[in-house]
Amino acid sequence: MLEFVTLTSLIFVVLVIWYWLWECSSFVRQIDRIPGPPKVPFFGNVFGIPRDGSEFLQTLHVKWVEQYGRIYRTWRGGTAIVAISSPQYVERILTSQKNIDKSSYYAIMEPWLGNGLLLSSGDKWKKDRRLLTPAFHFQILGDFFEVFHRNADILVEKIINRLTDSEEIDIFPMMSRCTLDIISEAAMGIKVNTQTESDSEYIKSIDRVQEMTRGRFYSVLGLLPDWIYFSLTPSGRELGKHIQTLHSFTMKVLRDRKQQIENAKTDDDSFDDSDESKMSTRKRKPFLDLLLETAQRGTELSESDILSQVDTFMFAGHDTTSVALTWFLYCMATHPEEQERVYEELLECFGDDSDRHCALEDLPNLKYLECCMKESIRLYPSVANFRRQISEQVQLGDYTLPVGASVSIQVYALHRNEEFFPDPLSFKPERFQKEQSIGRHPFAFIPFSAGPRNCIGQKYAVYEEKAILIALLRKFRFSIDKCHLPVKETHGIIMKPAGGMPLLITLR
Ligand code: HEM
């Protein structure tokens, strides 16, 4: 017994000394000069950060910004996270060529997304980004419109069929299926038909994986290494099961596409064409083919590398767009005058030709639609925050961020900064008209991030959204029953509407 007490006391003393030395280190002193919520020894702020996605957003993006300012720090165990939401600070971080790697937050996504473009660092990221950029070439994107239109038509059809039962429809799952079908076909070359076929396990699992990944990051369990978390905890086992579902889905996509290419080879040898300069003049080419071609040319690219990219693009290119569409329709439903103005602009553009799909050339004529899209994603950014790892010390105002700190760019809080968007909580599309945008700080509005590591799919996403929204707004009028107001945001990795988005829909 005496030995046990002695040993426990000894461990306690060692831990206290270790903690005291850590507290006195220049890293901790530099971080703790930045204001932030009080921390608990060893655990930091993990207990003070709400698990619930809506409260999480309100606490980190509203309450603590009001309390501590547009730069504040939190601790996750021994990891320092500096949250910033002023454009000047954001510009310093996002324009850096050095501080472009992702923070430890993203390590928690690795069992799911592997070392794909979103998570990779250093030379691997540079090489992959160079390889994948041609797939998003402006001229190639024009060829994707056919896929956007076909899937938007299916969506319109589905809504019309549902209207016979009820005018109120939760549009969020419908958007999710539509964008999943589009990304699978446009980027992977495979039709998965989740709009027309029954419940998609993939969609259910992707929701759960996001929710659980965010929950894990800010819980004590998140401090456990992967091998303990996934094998010994019930939540780890559940998360592992959902990740497995996602991987099986993307593996099937990869295998199916390989098979298609094999079959096509006998008729057409274009797959062997390695001249990338011809990309822009060829018909649309799924980005997955680029990876398969590269692997075939003998470059080091294993099946698991390709799978990580497929997982990454399926995630990054599907949910981000479906929530942007969903929040946009919410803004229209709650702002009938603005909705009518968009409709009038569409009538002016398309006239009586109600069946004509939009083309790339129509888009410059739809300026008010674009202002509404920007205003909606300002208020409801699909990615409410993202992070960078500090690998070269940086000065933000009075504070020095040492190497090893993590920076969280708080897009939600940044977009609601009164200094740049007066009356920030109101939906005012005019803010984005040319005259009103002049002089606004270029980093005050960054829904797709900015700088060298911005969203590679930005143009693709905007075209896709426009094609879908134009089809919907020409056909339907959207409103919302007041009993649902306001629809709250919930933060997983993507910012979704808590409890779906039930809208009242009528035919025009
Ligand atoms: C409304 C739609 C979208 C929004 C709001 C959005 C937003 C973002 C943001 C904020 C980032 C930076 C994330 C970070 O640094 O951690 C990002 C990165 C990325 N996005 Fe998007 N995105 C959208 C659609 C898409 C689409 C359609 C694709 C693919 C087809 C895509 C692929 C990617 C990839 C691969 C990255 C990582 C880029 C890199 O690190 O080099 N995104 N996106």
Side-chain angles (χ1 to χ4, degrees):
M1 183 63 188
L2 189 66
E3 276 172 9
F4 175 74
V5 173
T6 318
L7 186 67
T8 315
S9 315
L10 194 68
I11 292 175
F12 180 75
V13 172
V14 169
L15 281 177
V16 169
I17 294 174
W18 179 84
Y19 186 75
W20 179 77
L21 287 172
W22 179 78
E23 274 283 337
C24 296
S25 68
S26 77
F27 178 81
V28 175
R29 276 188 289 126
Q30 275 178 320
I31 295 292
D32 277 344
R33 284 195 56 236
I34 305 170
K39 63 179 194 267
V40 174
F42 300 107
F43 294 100
N45 299 105
V46 290
F47 301 116
I49 293 181
R51 303 292 296 275
D52 173 81
S54 299
E55 277 181 48
F56 172 91
L57 202 69
Q58 286 307 310
T59 305
L60 274 82
H61 288 255
V62 182
K63 194 172 134 198
W64 286 352
V65 173
E66 278 167 16
Q67 209 167 332
Y68 304 112
R70 295 211 165 261
I71 175 164
Y72 71 82
R73 63 103 195 100
T74 54
W75 287 96
R76 175 183 177 265
T79 307
I81 303 159
V82 179
I84 56 173
S85 54
S86 90
Q88 294 84 353
Y89 296 156
V90 170
E91 181 174 14
R92 285 278 288 148
I93 300 294
L94 292 187
T95 51
S96 161
Q97 293 289 338
K98 287 274 164 52
N99 291 318
I100 55 168
D101 287 343
K102 298 303 176 78
S103 75
S104 60
Y105 177 72
Y106 294 82
I108 232 163
M109 294 204 268
E110 252 175 49
W112 164 29
L113 298 180
N115 208 4
L117 194 65
L118 187 68
L119 306 190
S120 59
S121 339
D123 289 343
K124 173 161 180 14
W125 171 76
K126 279 192 192 130
K127 191 168 83 42
D128 289 353
R129 179 97 190 192
R130 221 175 295 127
L131 170 71
L132 293 169
T133 298
F136 294 89
H137 190 284
F138 173 74
Q139 277 165 294
I140 290 175
L141 292 182
D143 292 335
F144 286 122
F145 268 75
E146 188 266 320
V147 180
F148 301 157
H149 293 322
R150 194 161 15 84
N151 284 285
D153 287 349
I154 297 174
L155 177 64
V156 167
E157 193 73 23
K158 287 265 143 197
I159 295 179
I160 292 176
N161 290 341
R162 293 271 301 272
L163 288 181
T164 47
D165 300 330
S166 156
E167 274 188 3
E168 188 171 273
I169 298 176
D170 179 0
I171 50 133
F172 182 43
M174 302 187 89
M175 295 296 155
S176 212
R177 287 199 176 83
C178 180
T179 57
L180 182 59
D181 284 0
I182 290 177
I183 191 79
S184 307
E185 190 177 346
M188 310 301 157
I190 290 295
K191 288 185 185 166
V192 295
N193 301 328
T194 60
Q195 288 206 92
T196 46
E197 285 163 18
S198 60
D199 270 5
S200 164
E201 282 304 312
Y202 180 87
I203 290 181
K204 280 188 210 151
S205 289
I206 210 162
D207 278 350
R208 210 52 201 123
V209 167
Q210 286 183 54
E211 205 179 305
M212 294 186 77
T213 301
R214 193 216 15 105
R216 183 185 171 203
F217 187 74
Y218 283 113
S219 80
V220 180
L221 288 184
L223 301 174
L224 296 173
D226 277 358
W227 65 275
I228 298 184
Y229 176 74
F230 281 107
S231 55
L232 296 184
T233 69
S235 57
R237 282 197 289 267
E238 189 195 337
L239 180 58
K241 202 181 83 209
H242 287 297
I243 290 178
Q244 190 51 45
T245 304
L246 301 185
H247 285 171
S248 307
F249 182 92
T250 44
M251 178 59 101
K252 183 173 176 335
V253 167
L254 176 62
R255 298 258 153 94
D256 286 358
R257 185 66 191 157
K258 272 184 169 173
Q259 191 57 53
Q260 272 187 359
I261 290 168
E262 272 308 309
N263 297 344
K265 255 184 180 175
T266 41
D267 316 324
D268 172 10
D269 64 353
S270 64
F271 184 65
D272 290 329
D273 183 356
S274 56
D275 182 358
E276 282 180 13
S277 67
K278 289 183 187 163
M279 280 292 298
S280 57
T281 55
R282 276 205 304 241
K283 275 307 267 179
R284 160 182 109 233
K285 179 179 237 180
F287 104 106
L288 178 54
D289 291 10
L290 265 182
L291 298 174
L292 292 170
E293 281 178 12
T294 310
Q296 212 183 41
R297 286 203 297 271
T299 316
E300 281 169 45
L301 203 55
S302 65
E303 187 170 75
S304 89
D305 281 336
I306 297 179
L307 265 180
S308 300
Q309 301 295 7
V310 174
D311 277 311
T312 298
F313 277 79
M314 293 294 281
F315 159 64
H318 142 239
D319 242 6
T320 45
T321 319
S322 66
V323 295
L325 289 164
T326 302
W327 285 116
F328 177 89
L329 292 176
Y330 174 65
C331 291
M332 291 291 98
T334 46
H335 295 87
E337 275 179 29
E338 284 76 0
Q339 186 177 173
E340 283 316 298
R341 221 178 129 182
V342 172
Y343 183 64
E344 277 159 26
E345 190 179 67
L346 290 173
L347 279 184
E348 215 167 281
C349 179
F350 294 95
D352 294 338
D353 195 354
S354 62
D355 288 335
R356 180 168 81 77
H357 284 130
C358 71
L360 209 52
E361 304 75 55
D362 292 315
L363 303 185
N365 301 325
L366 300 171
K367 294 220 159 45
Y368 191 68
L369 171 71
E370 179 146 328
C371 290
C372 290
M373 286 171 70
K374 285 183 173 164
E375 181 63 346
S376 136
I377 206 164
R378 177 187 73 81
L379 282 165
Y380 304 104
S382 312
V383 183
N385 67 293
F386 54 88
R387 294 159 205 255
R388 293 283 182 274
Q389 187 74 12
I390 297 298
S391 48
E392 183 180 71
Q393 180 170 297
V394 62
Q395 190 71 27
L396 296 184
D398 294 339
Y399 307 110
T400 308
L401 270 52
V403 173
S406 223
V407 176
S408 174
I409 287 124
Q410 309 277 88
V411 182
Y412 183 88
L414 173 77
H415 283 183
R416 289 165 181 240
N417 187 333
E418 198 163 17
E419 196 183 327
F420 302 92
F421 299 103
D423 190 10
L425 304 190
S426 298
F427 179 78
K428 293 184 173 174
E430 321 73 72
R431 303 178 199 275
F432 287 100
Q433 280 166 350
K434 214 171 173 185
E435 320 77 64
Q436 290 203 33
S437 306
I438 293 169
R440 182 177 299 136
H441 196 293
F443 285 75
F445 176 68
I446 49 156
F448 294 95
S449 180
R453 210 155 178 181
N454 67 347
C455 173
I456 198 171
Q458 170 167 356
K459 273 210 174 77
Y460 170 102
V462 171
Y463 287 172
E464 176 184 351
E465 278 183 60
K466 283 184 176 170
I468 296 173
L469 291 173
I470 290 168
L472 292 177
L473 293 164
R474 286 165 76 190
K475 205 82 188 171
F476 305 110
R477 185 180 278 115
F478 295 87
S479 59
I480 187 162
D481 191 321
K482 286 196 170 52
C483 71
H484 298 303
L485 293 178
V487 172
K488 280 209 269 178
E489 309 91 334
T490 180
H491 185 263
I493 295 171
I494 305 296
M495 198 183 76
K496 301 184 177 187
M501 185 61 78
L503 295 185
L504 293 164
I505 308 179
T506 48
L507 274 169
R508 285 223 178 244

